Amino acid sequence: MTVHVVGAGLAGLSCALAAADAGMSVVLHEAAGQAGGRCRSWVEPTLGVTIDNGTHMVVGGNHEVFRYLRRIGGTDGLIAGPAAFPMLDLESGRLWTASLGRLLPSVLASAWRMAPSQDAGITRRLGASRNFHRFWEPLALAVMNTPAEDASARVFRRVLARTLWRGQAASRPFLARNGLSETFVGPALAALAVAGVTVRLHHPLRRLQRSGRLVTALDFDDGAVVLGPSDAVVLAVPWAVARQLLPELPKLPASPIVNGHFRLAVAPAKRSSGDFIGLLGGTAQWLFVRGDVVSVTVSAAAALAERSVDEIGTVLWGDIAKALGLRQAPVAQRVIKEKRATLFHSPEVEALRPAAAFGDNLLLAGDWTATGLPCTLEGALTSGVGAARQLLRRNPA
Ligand SMILES: Cc1cc2nc3c(=O)[nH]c(=O)nc-3n(C[C@H](O)[C@H](O)[C@H](O)COP(=O)(O)OP(=O)(O)OC[C@H]3O[C@@H](n4cnc5c(N)ncnc54)[C@H](O)[C@@H]3O)c2cc1C
């Protein structure tokens, strides 16, 4: 039996590894010249440093993330962020710390307000909370990449149940120490090589040949791979590509994320608030300082992503200069618009996310499938490992 995993994002990488660990023969096909998909790094020529497509944050309660990291060679690739988030209001200049201890009454009240019922926007469930605008709204935006009034309270509740409601350790943020690829991708490729998985980069799947519920062959540029009777396919591509290959899939709306990376002539002075600040009252929402590079993130950035990169750079730099009290101009900058960063996580869209099981020998994987979680690394890994488990159930070793 050979399993063809298509797409080497975190869903595909984790699926290929779990299937190989279960004794299956696995081939991983990736369209790009680099694995990692929406979680990747590169040396950016305009800045002369390695950057990520977007700063990714995970938290202690992301069990699949930590399980994956342990499997591919350790969690050393992560650094722990602050136990309490410094938050800065750019309009008033007010700086405070969002610590779980101080927010406990609000967190406990949220558990009650978010009790399961018909799904609705988060604002309908938590909008009356005293800390809504200063805590819940920015948190919901970061977690769901969808404005709180539109974002599914049911999905948000599931995230809270695994993180904030479990206390400090499960809520602790972590960032990639030296970039996403070094933490999440390079070690996975090394583990796949040891496990005997063939990885084919620059190998886009163009078409699935199907007969009823069965995939009979995979069409690549260098020819078709005909599937044997016990072979299987896991399609771990982004949802827009999956829909081109399987037109019966529903159309799912996307929500963009914009990141700006700014290189300074001189690294900003160390601040008591640390290298990681939540921002309110401007355009940038999270600010990260790494040496002489300052990066900012804007979630649910549909309107911003329509503007030119120069305009976006000016707006984001204005927020950075204000937040850090800088007078120097950046020596170089790079704005990255990820227009299809995640799904737009409204209750209506949640109802459309497809399950992994799709055909007799075809499974879907990816953060956009019905994991019950938002499109995140945890969601992508959950889907990848889940698809491998289904393969094992269908074809016990
Ligand atoms: C800017 C940004 C910031 C983010 N921030 C966070 C964060 O802070 N925390 C967090 O947990 N998550 C975050 N995410 C979400 C996270 O990156 C994704 O949920 C996750 O990487 C998705 O993994 P995936 O494997 O499902 O999909 P992808 O990473 O999209 O992988 C799909 C792969 O399929 C390949 N492919 C496409 N077409 C074909 C084809 N025809 N044949 C073969 N291969 C193909 C693609 O090249 C890609 O490698 C962020 C995402 C972005 C874009």
Side-chain angles (χ1 to χ4, degrees):
M1 175 202 185
T2 299
V3 179
H4 294 273
V5 179
V6 183
L10 261 62
L13 290 168
S14 59
C15 179
L17 200 52
D21 285 349
M24 296 174 216
S25 156
V26 183
V27 183
L28 176 58
H29 308 267
E30 165 58 45
Q34 152 179 33
R38 277 169 282 154
C39 171
R40 67 188 189 286
S41 325
W42 65 90
V43 179
E44 173 52 44
T46 51
L47 301 174
V49 291
T50 298
I51 59 167
D52 296 331
N53 63 317
T55 307
H56 281 52
M57 192 167 74
V58 295
V59 291
N62 288 159
H63 291 307
E64 284 302 339
V65 168
F66 283 90
R67 199 195 328 229
Y68 171 80
L69 289 175
R70 279 193 299 274
R71 171 63 188 87
I72 64 174
T75 50
D76 290 356
L78 291 180
I79 39 170
F85 287 88
M87 305 284 297
L88 174 68
D89 187 327
L90 289 168
E91 276 171 5
S92 65
R94 191 159 171 254
L95 181 70
W96 73 96
T97 308
S99 83
L100 197 55
R102 205 171 307 153
L103 288 161
L104 205 56
S106 186
V107 168
L108 292 176
S110 75
W112 181 75
R113 288 205 185 98
M114 300 281 281
S117 63
Q118 217 187 347
D119 202 3
I122 293 170
T123 308
R124 271 190 60 193
R125 296 279 179 265
L126 296 178
S129 309
R130 203 162 57 86
N131 293 310
F132 183 69
H133 295 297
R134 285 176 51 189
F135 179 68
W136 289 113
E137 199 174 31
L139 182 70
L141 200 59
V143 169
M144 304 289 288
N145 191 32
T146 303
E149 63 187 58
D150 300 308
S152 160
R154 183 171 292 162
V155 175
F156 190 52
R157 178 181 196 283
R158 204 165 285 127
V159 175
L160 295 182
R162 292 167 177 221
T163 56
L164 275 197
W165 296 351
R166 286 184 185 241
Q168 200 86 56
S171 315
R172 185 96 196 236
F174 292 84
L175 296 168
R177 186 181 294 280
N178 294 318
L180 294 171
S181 291
E182 194 174 312
T183 298
F184 291 103
V185 185
L189 291 173
L192 287 171
V194 172
V197 174
T198 304
V199 180
R200 302 199 60 186
L201 300 177
H202 299 293
H203 206 233
L205 176 67
R206 300 295 184 196
R207 201 168 77 91
L208 291 158
Q209 291 186 36
R210 289 193 285 167
S211 170
R213 289 177 49 81
L214 211 61
V215 178
T216 54
L218 302 174
D219 288 351
F220 295 99
D221 293 341
D222 55 354
V225 173
V226 177
L227 299 190
S230 56
D231 292 350
V233 181
V234 178
L235 205 55
V237 296
W239 69 95
V241 179
R243 192 158 182 273
Q244 285 164 13
L245 296 163
L246 300 167
E248 63 267 49
L249 283 172
K251 199 169 175 200
L252 299 170
S255 183
I257 297 178
V258 170
N259 271 267
H261 302 276
F262 298 82
R263 183 157 194 183
L264 311 182
V266 183
K270 281 269 169 216
R271 290 152 311 282
S272 55
S273 53
D275 294 338
F276 183 26
I277 312 173
L279 302 176
L280 295 179
T283 301
Q285 295 155 357
W286 296 96
L287 182 153
F288 308 89
V289 182
R290 204 177 257 165
D292 58 1
V293 176
V294 182
S295 303
V296 284
T297 298
V298 187
S299 296
L304 187 68
E306 293 306 317
R307 300 172 70 177
S308 73
V309 289
D310 288 345
E311 278 181 303
I312 296 172
T314 305
V315 171
L316 296 182
W317 177 253
D319 285 354
I320 293 171
K322 212 167 175 183
L324 300 181
L326 297 176
R327 287 172 185 272
Q328 54 173 317
V331 291
Q333 66 185 56
R334 174 81 156 89
V335 168
I336 301 161
K337 305 181 199 178
E338 286 270 16
K339 289 205 167 177
R340 289 196 181 121
T342 71
L343 292 177
F344 185 84
H345 285 294
S346 66
E348 296 73 27
V349 174
E350 283 313 303
L352 295 174
R353 289 169 76 178
F358 199 79
D360 289 348
N361 59 352
L362 173 61
L363 291 164
L364 303 178
D367 59 355
W368 54 278
T369 56
T371 60
L373 298 171
C375 291
T376 50
L377 300 181
E378 180 76 357
L381 294 169
T382 300
S383 80
V385 172
R389 277 199 202 110
Q390 290 208 30
L391 286 172
L392 197 59
R393 273 201 296 277
R394 289 177 182 196
N395 298 283

